[in-house]
Amino acid sequence: MTTTTMDIAHDNDHHDDHGPQKGWRRWVYSNNHKDIGSMYLIFSLVMLILGGASAMAIRAELMYPGLQLLEPDLYNNIVTNHALVMVFGAVMPAAAGLANWMIPLMIGAPDMALPRMNNLSFWLLPAAAIMLVLSFIVPFFPGGGSQINTGWTLYPPLSLQVGMAMDFLIFTVHLLGVSSVLASINIIVTIFNMRAPSMTLWNMPIFVWTWLVTAFLLILILPVLAGGVTMLLFDRHLGTSFFDAAGGGDPVLFQHLFWFFGHPEVYVLLLPSIGVLSHIIPAFSYKPLFGRKSMIGAMILLASIGMVVWAHHQYTIGMSSAAVSYFMIGTILISIPVGLMKFNFIATMWRASMTFEAPMLFAISIVAMFVFGGLTGVMLAIVPADLQYQDTMFVVAHFHYVLMPGAVMALFAGVLYWLPKWTGNMYNEKLANWFFWTSLIGFNGTFFVQHFLGLAGMPRRIVDYPVQFTEFNFISSVAALIYGLSHILFLYLVIQTIRGKGTTKAKSRSWKGAKGLEWEVASPAPFHTWDSAPTVDAEGEIKQK
Amino acid sequence: MSAQNNYFIPEPSKWPIIAMLSMFALLMGGAFAFNDVVIGNYLLVLGSILLVYMFYGWFSDVIKESLGGKYGKQEDISFRQGMMWFIASEFFFFLCFFGSLYYLRDISGAWLAGEGYLAITKDVLYPEVSSVAVAWPNNGPANVGGDFQAMGATGIPLINTILLLTSGVTLTFAHHALKAEHTKHLVLWMWATIALGLTFVGFQAYEYIHAYNDLNLTLGAGVYGSTFYILTGFHGFHVVMGSIMLVVIALRCAKNHFKPEKHFAFEAVAWYWHFVDVVWLGLFIFVYWM
Amino acid sequence: MKKLATLLGLLLSFSSHAEYGLNFPDPVTDIGQEIYDVHMFTMWIATVALIIVFAIMLFALIKFRKSKGYKADQNFHKTWFGNWAWVLVPVMVLGVDFWIAGRAQSTLDKFWDAPKQNCAHENADAKHCFDMNIKVIGHQWWWEYEFPEHGVDFNGKFYPIKVESRPLEEEDASEGNYLRDVDNVLVIPVDTVIRYLNTSVDVLHAWWLPEFGFKRDAIPGYILETWATVRKEGIFRGQCAELCGTWHAKMPIVVKAVSKDEFKQWIESEKAKLLAELKDANSNKDWSKDELMVKGKKVYDTMCAGCHNVNGQGLGVAFPALKGSPIALGSANQHIDIVLNGKKTMPGWKHLSDVDLSAVITYERNAWGNNASVVKPADIKSAR
Ligand code: HEA
Ligand code: HEA
Ligand code: CUA
Ligand SMILES: [Cu+2]
């Protein structure tokens, strides 16, 4: 073990090539993993605000029964936009940003394996975002056709009725797909080919492992989504009948294609966050991660089972009983790997010596809330019961309980954890605590009551609801406002830390209990790191000379 | 102690951003053009020009770096693995269409024909449609697009199979010639491969014309037409791309760019070509034959 | 976290009072009762699992903190427990998984095994047959019900009873059944095995009554079967549960379950109504323009407005405006042809009666400032 107080910027930022370019070229032409990582993170923050603004619009409309703010089509347009922006704009790019920043640092590589392609992967995102926003606003121009009122699942035949906005959305999906596939290829190659020679796959950091599995998942599922929306495009404009029974097609085919992508996709959102927690929890427990190998096994199992259970979103569409039984059993089996992961986290805290900095506070509450969301997931997986739950607010509650803690909050925690490394400054702990508690209360207030709404019979994706659902919707909307506002604290916190006013300087090993190569380089991390590969021991730490 | 990392990190480059702009223009153009908005056509032209410019520029840089000896063993492995996973993603793209074909033929197709789990569909909704009319190949209970004839497996498809398989062999000969540093044979075999590929494309085009003019087999011919064209169409597109790549490689071969121990670009294109080959075999079996 | 647990406990204790709207409402069908039991069973297991997890976490949080001077046990993961946890935990979870799945399976099998034969059929299996069918047809944005076994014979043809169930226009969001009221409710008998045949004519919908305990999609071009026996008389309200476009939120379902006798009476009155309507439609009566316009508006608003808009201005680029359209103002034959046979996305409407078609076409040609010829039922007959 290294002495934790060691604070030497390892002699690895000497290099003969130059630092960053000046001006806009530094970002637009960049092939530096840190700069590209930062761009991903900033992009995702912008998208979070956009997606959050639409969430606030949704909750504002649902605060009272009746149509107050939004026309029905506009409401559904916003719901669609909210989901796509959050999933593809906020969560995935944030995770990719962390990957870009941390993977080379963690495995002792000088950069990503294919730096120019890395740049392309990022820059496709703003293009996609522009097209996504266009798909939202095009209907408001003369001749722009009707709005996208299909939800993020884009089910035909409804999506065949939508005007040209749908074509923008279809091509957005193509762009996003290309971007993610290229990024995934890059990550896989980097992990396989750029590790410090002494780092074996077994002692590779868990965050890197989760991204390896995630990248494989993305390469397998995104092309299928791209193919599915391409068929949609053909049905819309070229007269094919893939999704039209009259011509021998079946609208449900699209659902299979969508969920073949969509279900693994939720694990794409989840896994990097599991990776983040696997670093935070040991760091603040001051002991190694419990069950390292079982963690790796669990994530591989999770990805494998996750690929073959997609139709649990479609129990109501008419599949044979053999098919639904299979999908039910497959789906609940997922509780095994996920349960094992959560168990490992708790066991890491067992007989530990915990301290409660903000990342740890998040991590602990994430484990608790995710288990709750996961258990409602198991309820949904039970076919007969899902015939009642399906397409109600209960589902909305389930997936926000897994998505927000499981993905978004874990990414926040990761940002707080690594901010000192990126900026060289410690964030303001007190402010971070405020952010934690307000978001905890806001989040649970928003989504906990939606379980009741769903069970009592409120469908999702409705702009207006019968009066008996008023009280809980009101509570949910008020809490959502608190939750939304709490993010302002986060924004402020990040900006404050970057500017370094009123903060303390970070050591290279910013957290006493933190392990891993990223803590061996100076804080802030120099523009180029690991020009020479470090030699690591079995625990992934620098080998003592 | 620590090993020195010599991994080649290229200079900041403008090509990625141009690649982004070209794709952006193409897709925006597509979205507009599909809806008959005129600006779409201009964007499509602009995007195509940028795309060609980008490929030319980016690959020129890469070739320069490669010839300049910037790439060592490790870089070579990066490229190989990158290409491999790219092909894997293409594989799943086609799998989407093959899977759809399977579903439409054997699952939902059966329901419309009155078999399987939703057999009742036919009794209630299409009692007057004969089950022959909805047996594969079909254009649905509504006879969408009118009567048509399916494409047989013998004839052009069989010839095309032979053409593509042969082109795989000639490409392998080229590879052997490359390893033996026999440039003249290498270039010859390359052009032979390209000729076979282009012949394939020619036949395919002829087949489409025949289908449209004589068989009434159009994109609008129900599920059969839909699956037929989406599978053969995307495959054909890949053959065209592959042929262009082969032409570039052939020209580079003539310039002696490749060494027996170092010819990643050649191999990447060869892998791609073989992949296209394998997809065709799947197509031949599942689309034309069965 | 503790708060969550107590709240969940609260939810469970409320579960028998449906009027609080916290839990699954009391089911009124046999299958709904079973589904409800499965739901409660899994929810209990989930609650217990949650409490166990929270308890362990809470204990750890209280005990193993640095501020309490607790020293981390660096070798905890190397104890026998650390070595075998990866087997123990999955085995335990697997056990619970199979327990749940096993419990659900029998209900699943029962629900999925819809009876295929009418009990009236001579060699029907009396234990597994249905008494009647109801075809449930989703439309943008209303429901249509058809009773294939109940109807009238007219001119040698069988006409089943149909109920067109459209949302009521109520603007007041404080009203009791806001968004949950229709003009014509579906009437069904209690203690009768009914097989529902769901389908749709445009996009996906889902037919859902929370009290029935299940929902099933309505998919255009396909038929999905479900079956249920209602055990309680009363009025049950639900709504469409699959996003179907603009007015998805306003696609209520109201079912009135009545005694068998009452149902018979209702059917008889429906039959009489239907017969009168058929006579009307087939009489060689000469429809006046005004009559056609009134009828045409009704047909238009229900059948065509979904795409062409009530104001005739179409929707976006895909759905053309009829107001001022050259077809609506041009030759009647062309207009009749496109409505009868459809064109691309535009469905054909051959199944409508001559009167309805002439009415709707006349309406289109003369509404919203259009001013063209009147089309009579006889014109349609000759165009067919
Ligand atoms: C990060 C995202 C995420 C994650 C991780 C999950 C995780 C799971 N989800 Fe969820 N889900 C979504 C995102 C996610 N989901 C989204 C976005 C939708 C809606 C999409 C849409 O329609 O728009 C959805 C919808 C959805 C449905 C469809 C509902 C419907 O529309 O009718 C179902 C049904 O089976 C389901 C199930 C599950 C299950 C079983 C898990 C499991 O992975 C959970 C496993 C975890 C645990 C079980 C807890 C920890 C384990 C233990 C403590 C061990 C003990 C447990 C037992 C013994 C059971 N989800
Ligand atoms: C990662 C994905 C993700 C995330 C993070 C969120 C975050 C949130 N979501 Fe959503 N959501 C989805 C994925 C996600 N969601 C999906 C997939 C659907 C299904 C769509 C469909 O049916 O097709 C959905 C649907 C959905 C619905 C159901 C709509 C319906 O069915 O009718 C609702 C309603 O309450 C909702 C609410 C919220 C809220 C309040 C948040 C909040 O957590 C957001 C909080 C964040 C912010 C507010 C932004 C940051 C704030 C600031 C920068 C401060 C300034 C803010 C203010 C003005 C207050 N979401
Ligand atoms: Cu019909 Cu929603
Ligand atoms: Cu899922």
Side-chain angles (χ1 to χ4, degrees):
Chain A
M1 255 194 66
T2 45
T3 43
T4 45
T5 48
M6 183 179 71
D7 193 9
I8 317 157
H10 264 259
D11 185 29
N12 53 28
D13 51 348
H14 74 91
H15 41 75
D16 24 36
D17 47 345
H18 15 262
Q21 290 208 326
K22 295 277 171 297
W24 58 272
R25 281 193 185 77
R26 167 170 180 185
W27 306 102
V28 175
Y29 292 172
S30 175
N31 52 22
N32 178 282
H33 73 100
K34 300 189 186 76
D35 280 358
I36 292 175
S38 305
M39 288 196 288
Y40 265 115
L41 288 168
I42 293 166
F43 174 80
S44 96
L45 209 55
V46 174
M47 289 291 122
L48 179 75
I49 295 171
L50 188 62
S54 37
M56 293 300 123
I58 294 173
R59 283 307 339 158
E61 172 60 48
L62 292 183
M63 198 154 179
Y64 299 106
L67 298 176
Q68 289 89 25
L69 301 168
L70 310 171
E71 287 302 311
D73 272 337
L74 180 56
Y75 177 83
N76 285 326
N77 195 0
I78 287 180
V79 169
T80 312
N81 200 61
H82 161 68
L84 292 169
V85 165
M86 283 297 196
V87 170
F88 290 102
V91 176
M92 286 171 70
L98 291 184
N100 253 293
W101 250 104
M102 302 319 294
I103 289 178
L105 277 182
M106 285 177 162
I107 63 175
D111 207 305
M112 299 292 280
L114 305 161
R116 274 181 293 227
M117 202 168 85
N118 199 14
N119 186 11
L120 176 58
S121 306
F122 168 75
W123 278 104
L124 284 174
L125 286 181
I130 293 172
M131 284 193 80
L132 184 61
V133 170
L134 270 178
S135 80
F136 181 75
I137 57 178
V138 146
F140 299 102
F141 289 97
S146 59
Q147 300 187 51
I148 299 178
N149 55 6
T150 62
W152 77 302
T153 47
L154 311 182
Y155 285 175
L158 190 56
S159 52
L160 302 176
Q161 291 184 351
V162 175
M164 72 192 284
M166 186 55 75
D167 299 313
F168 282 89
L169 194 56
I170 287 170
F171 286 129
T172 306
V173 171
H174 284 125
L175 274 181
L176 291 165
V178 174
S179 160
S180 292
V181 166
L182 294 183
S184 302
I185 292 173
N186 215 336
I187 286 170
I188 293 178
V189 177
T190 305
I191 294 174
F192 279 148
N193 193 33
M194 305 287 286
R195 262 175 298 133
S198 47
M199 181 180 276
T200 64
L201 280 178
W202 273 127
N203 58 31
M204 191 165 82
I206 295 286
F207 177 73
V208 183
W209 257 109
T210 53
W211 250 109
L212 183 61
V213 176
T214 305
F216 275 123
L217 271 181
L218 282 170
I219 287 184
L220 302 187
I221 62 175
L222 272 171
V224 175
L225 176 67
V229 294
T230 305
M231 287 156 75
L232 207 54
L233 188 75
F234 274 49
D235 263 18
R236 285 169 57 79
H237 293 294
L238 301 177
T240 54
S241 333
F242 292 110
F243 308 127
D244 177 10
D250 186 354
V252 168
L253 170 61
F254 183 83
Q255 303 187 9
H256 284 289
L257 298 174
F258 183 87
W259 290 116
F260 181 85
F261 151 82
H263 184 73
E265 168 72 10
V266 306
Y267 298 121
V268 165
L269 304 175
L270 175 71
L271 275 171
S273 312
I274 293 278
V276 171
L277 296 186
S278 306
H279 287 248
I280 292 176
I281 294 180
F284 299 100
S285 297
Y286 298 85
K287 82 198 242 296
L289 182 68
F290 186 92
R292 230 188 98 82
K293 284 190 183 169
S294 72
M295 206 77 183
I296 295 169
M299 71 180 82
I300 294 171
L301 191 65
L302 174 68
S304 321
I305 307 180
M307 289 286 296
V308 292
V309 299
W310 69 88
H312 61 223
H313 296 270
Q314 304 156 256
Y315 288 147
T316 59
I317 52 126
M319 282 179 284
S320 68
S321 72
V324 284
S325 301
Y326 159 76
F327 283 113
M328 168 171 79
I329 292 170
T331 305
I332 43 181
L333 286 185
I334 292 180
S335 59
I336 293 176
V338 182
L340 194 56
M341 289 172 178
K342 298 293 150 181
F343 171 81
N344 284 341
F345 288 149
I346 298 174
T348 306
M349 298 184 228
W350 197 258
R351 289 162 74 173
S353 173
M354 281 186 269
T355 59
F356 298 96
E357 287 84 350
M360 184 63 168
L361 286 178
F362 269 111
I364 292 166
S365 64
I366 286 163
V367 172
M369 293 188 291
F370 183 87
V371 167
F372 182 76
L375 288 167
T376 56
V378 171
M379 292 174 70
L380 291 171
I382 306 303
V383 178
D386 184 65
L387 296 176
Q388 178 83 328
Y389 309 142
Q390 202 257 349
D391 258 320
T392 64
M393 290 308 274
F394 190 82
V395 177
V396 174
H398 153 68
F399 67 71
H400 284 94
Y401 257 93
V402 278
L403 275 169
M404 293 300 307
V408 181
M409 288 188 182
L411 293 168
F412 285 151
V415 168
L416 293 178
Y417 181 63
W418 283 310
L419 254 184
K421 177 56 57 193
W422 303 335
T423 62
N425 302 314
M426 298 304 284
Y427 61 83
N428 181 334
E429 189 65 47
K430 198 163 159 198
L431 208 58
N433 267 283
W434 270 100
F435 171 50
F436 168 74
W437 286 109
T438 46
S439 67
L440 188 70
I441 293 166
F443 168 74
N444 285 297
T446 310
F447 294 108
F448 191 74
V449 292
Q450 292 184 1
H451 293 103
F452 303 138
L453 287 173
L455 287 177
M458 178 175 165
R460 60 192 279 208
R461 294 167 164 174
I462 54 174
V463 59
D464 190 5
Y465 49 85
V467 279
Q468 72 259 38
F469 305 126
T470 311
E471 288 81 7
F472 285 135
N473 269 305
F474 181 78
I475 298 174
S476 177
S477 294
V478 171
L481 186 65
I482 299 176
Y483 186 43
L485 291 175
S486 77
H487 289 77
I488 294 176
L489 292 179
F490 178 75
L491 285 183
Y492 181 77
L493 191 87
V494 170
I495 294 168
Q496 187 192 38
T497 315
I498 293 173
R499 298 179 67 212
K501 289 224 177 89
T503 56
T504 50
K505 285 269 168 273
K507 300 185 176 127
S508 72
R509 190 176 296 269
S510 319
W511 309 106
K512 281 210 190 90
K515 295 277 163 60
L517 289 182
E518 76 264 36
W519 306 110
E520 305 281 352
V521 303
S523 297
F527 195 63
H528 291 287
T529 40
W530 302 128
D531 282 339
S532 54
T535 312
V536 297
D537 63 17
E539 300 196 344
E541 291 279 294
I542 294 247
K543 207 170 216 153
Q544 291 303 291
K545 291 144 228 179
Chain B
M1 252 292 316
S2 59
Q4 192 65 32
N5 250 330
N6 293 315
Y7 197 82
F8 173 70
I9 309 289
E11 289 295 302
S13 159
K14 68 177 175 184
W15 300 119
I17 203 81
I18 292 177
M20 179 276 260
L21 290 175
S22 74
M23 279 189 236
F24 189 44
L26 280 174
L27 293 184
M28 287 283 285
F32 280 122
F34 267 125
N35 294 285
D36 305 323
V37 181
V38 190
I39 190 181
N41 302 333
Y42 299 114
L43 281 171
L44 283 175
V45 172
L46 176 74
S48 314
I49 294 171
L50 275 177
L51 194 74
V52 172
Y53 172 60
M54 178 276 293
F55 272 125
Y56 183 80
W58 194 330
F59 284 124
S60 298
D61 274 9
V62 171
I63 292 168
K64 250 180 254 149
E65 285 160 13
S66 170
L67 294 179
K70 296 267 171 58
Y71 298 157
K73 188 111 189 75
Q74 203 183 359
E75 287 83 351
D76 202 46
I77 294 174
S78 287
F79 292 148
R80 276 157 196 277
Q81 292 188 347
M83 190 66 195
M84 232 167 70
W85 294 115
F86 172 69
I87 289 177
S89 76
E90 289 265 50
F91 180 80
F92 271 79
F93 186 66
F94 276 101
L95 202 71
C96 168
F97 300 132
F98 278 110
S100 303
L101 175 64
Y102 167 73
Y103 180 89
L104 293 170
R105 266 185 79 156
D106 292 346
I107 299 180
S108 70
W111 296 340
L112 291 175
E115 292 153 27
Y117 178 62
L118 296 186
I120 190 169
T121 295
K122 182 165 179 310
D123 291 352
V124 177
L125 292 178
Y126 316 108
E128 74 287 358
V129 178
S130 84
S131 46
V132 181
V134 281
W136 194 265
N138 74 67
N139 54 357
N143 197 23
V144 170
D147 291 337
F148 72 98
Q149 255 179 293
M151 189 62 73
T154 50
I156 293 178
L158 190 64
I159 300 175
N160 266 346
T161 311
I162 296 167
L163 283 176
L164 266 197
L165 288 182
T166 318
S167 77
V169 176
T170 54
L171 189 59
T172 309
F173 284 162
H175 197 184
H176 283 301
L178 194 160
K179 280 188 185 153
E181 292 188 85
H182 207 312
T183 311
K184 219 167 120 198
H185 283 179
L186 165 62
V187 174
L188 215 65
W189 284 123
M190 283 304 293
W191 286 112
T193 312
I194 293 163
L196 288 167
L198 291 180
T199 319
F200 174 95
V201 175
F203 270 122
Q204 196 76 359
Y206 172 78
E207 184 188 85
Y208 278 9
I209 294 169
H210 172 59
Y212 259 82
N213 289 345
D214 308 332
L215 306 180
N216 191 28
L217 169 55
T218 63
L219 266 170
V223 265
Y224 182 80
S226 312
T227 49
F228 175 81
Y229 281 105
I230 206 160
L231 275 155
T232 55
F234 272 107
H235 176 265
F237 176 70
H238 279 72
V239 177
V240 173
M241 297 310 290
S243 304
I244 296 173
M245 282 149 65
L246 281 173
V247 170
V248 174
I249 294 295
L251 295 173
R252 289 187 64 194
C253 286
K255 286 193 185 167
N256 265 325
H257 275 181
F258 301 117
K259 309 263 166 335
E261 69 285 353
K262 199 162 156 256
H263 49 268
F264 162 73
F266 180 94
E267 283 190 76
V269 173
W271 290 343
Y272 190 80
W273 193 255
H274 289 313
F275 162 72
V276 170
D277 224 6
V278 171
V279 171
W280 173 260
L281 278 184
L283 233 62
F284 183 67
I285 295 172
F286 293 114
V287 176
Y288 291 100
W289 187 12
M290 282 174 64
Chain C
M1 283 158 278
K2 211 169 146 195
K3 200 178 62 204
L4 296 194
T6 29
L7 263 172
L8 202 77
L10 209 67
L11 151 69
L12 290 169
S13 64
F14 274 135
S15 59
S16 52
H17 308 277
E19 60 274 24
Y20 285 94
L22 287 173
N23 195 5
F24 206 130
D26 287 338
V28 296
T29 59
D30 288 351
I31 196 76
Q33 188 60 47
E34 285 200 29
I35 290 173
Y36 178 83
D37 294 342
V38 171
H39 154 73
M40 290 310 285
F41 172 80
T42 24
M43 191 156 77
W44 271 115
I45 292 189
T47 313
V48 171
L50 194 70
I51 291 172
I52 294 174
V53 172
F54 281 11
I56 297 174
M57 283 185 75
L58 217 61
F59 182 81
L61 288 180
I62 293 167
K63 181 121 188 265
F64 308 122
R65 9 173 100 217
K66 189 169 228 161
S67 55
K68 288 245 178 100
Y70 197 93
K71 283 259 167 17
D73 176 357
Q74 295 297 343
N75 293 315
F76 181 58
H77 60 294
K78 293 185 186 147
T79 58
W80 73 267
F81 182 70
N83 283 330
W84 291 103
W86 68 277
V87 185
L88 289 176
V89 174
V91 168
M92 271 162 47
V93 176
L94 186 70
V96 179
D97 282 354
F98 277 131
W99 190 24
I100 302 176
R103 174 74 179 73
Q105 188 70 40
S106 59
T107 306
L108 189 166
D109 287 340
K110 182 165 170 198
F111 185 69
W112 247 254
D113 184 22
K116 300 281 177 212
Q117 270 181 326
N118 195 316
C119 296
H121 200 271
E122 48 191 287
N123 42 14
D125 171 3
K127 281 208 201 87
H128 197 57
C129 59
F130 56 82
D131 296 314
M132 62 189 271
N133 282 306
I134 295 180
K135 206 166 148 192
V136 176
I137 306 164
H139 294 258
Q140 275 173 326
W141 292 275
W142 54 283
W143 292 96
E144 179 185 352
Y145 307 101
E146 191 181 310
F147 293 78
E149 289 99 7
H150 302 276
V152 294
D153 285 310
F154 185 79
N155 285 353
K157 224 179 131 201
F158 178 75
Y159 291 87
I161 287 176
K162 294 185 180 177
V163 176
E164 300 192 349
S165 189
R166 293 196 174 73
L168 282 184
E169 286 296 332
E170 340 135 69
E171 298 306 328
D172 188 2
S174 65
E175 211 140 295
N177 287 320
Y178 178 61
L179 294 179
R180 289 253 167 122
D181 232 350
V182 295
D183 52 0
N184 303 310
V185 303
L186 171 64
V187 179
I188 59 169
V190 293
D191 299 326
T192 307
V193 184
I194 301 177
R195 186 172 70 157
Y196 298 91
L197 302 170
N198 289 9
T199 188
S200 157
V201 297
D202 34 49
V203 301
L204 304 172
H205 304 270
W207 199 69
W208 180 39
L209 286 157
E211 280 93 353
F212 278 31
F214 61 83
K215 67 176 70 68
R216 218 76 212 289
D217 285 9
I219 300 174
Y222 291 84
I223 293 281
L224 265 62
E225 316 163 85
T226 46
W227 61 301
T229 314
V230 175
R231 294 296 179 195
K232 208 174 129 193
E233 290 181 27
I235 293 184
F236 307 112
R237 295 171 194 277
Q239 64 190 99
C240 175
E242 177 68 53
L243 183 51
C244 51
T246 313
W247 290 110
H248 163 60
K250 200 170 181 181
M251 206 172 146
I253 300 162
V254 182
V255 170
K256 186 172 167 199
V258 299
S259 69
K260 288 187 183 177
D261 286 343
E262 222 176 305
F263 178 71
K264 265 202 202 100
Q265 284 170 16
W266 180 76
I267 281 285
E268 289 311 320
S269 74
E270 287 295 301
K271 277 187 189 166
K273 247 200 279 175
L274 179 60
L275 209 57
E277 237 171 72
L278 282 170
K279 284 201 181 119
D280 202 14
N282 286 276
S283 65
N284 286 328
K285 157 181 171 189
D286 190 26
W287 290 74
S288 74
K289 181 176 170 189
D290 290 342
E291 281 171 319
L292 285 173
M293 285 296 283
V294 171
K295 197 170 186 59
K297 177 169 171 43
K298 209 177 136 211
V299 177
Y300 180 86
D301 287 352
T302 54
M303 308 283 181
C304 324
C307 298
H308 294 290
N309 223 334
V310 265
N311 56 16
Q313 295 183 339
L315 277 175
V317 281
F319 304 110
L322 299 176
K323 180 180 173 177
S325 131
I327 290 188
L329 296 176
S331 100
N333 286 338
Q334 211 187 341
H335 195 161
I336 295 172
D337 178 63
I338 199 168
V339 177
L340 268 178
N341 302 313
K343 187 180 169 195
K344 291 195 212 151
T345 336
M346 160 80 179
W349 298 93
K350 282 200 178 98
H351 53 282
L352 297 185
S353 72
D354 292 349
V355 178
D356 281 352
L357 283 169
S358 64
V360 73
I361 293 173
T362 304
Y363 178 72
E364 283 177 352
R365 298 172 78 74
N366 294 286
W368 326 295
N370 280 1
N371 194 358
S373 61
V374 172
V375 172
K376 297 283 165 108
D379 302 335
I380 308 286
K381 194 170 233 130
S382 57
R384 277 193 195 260

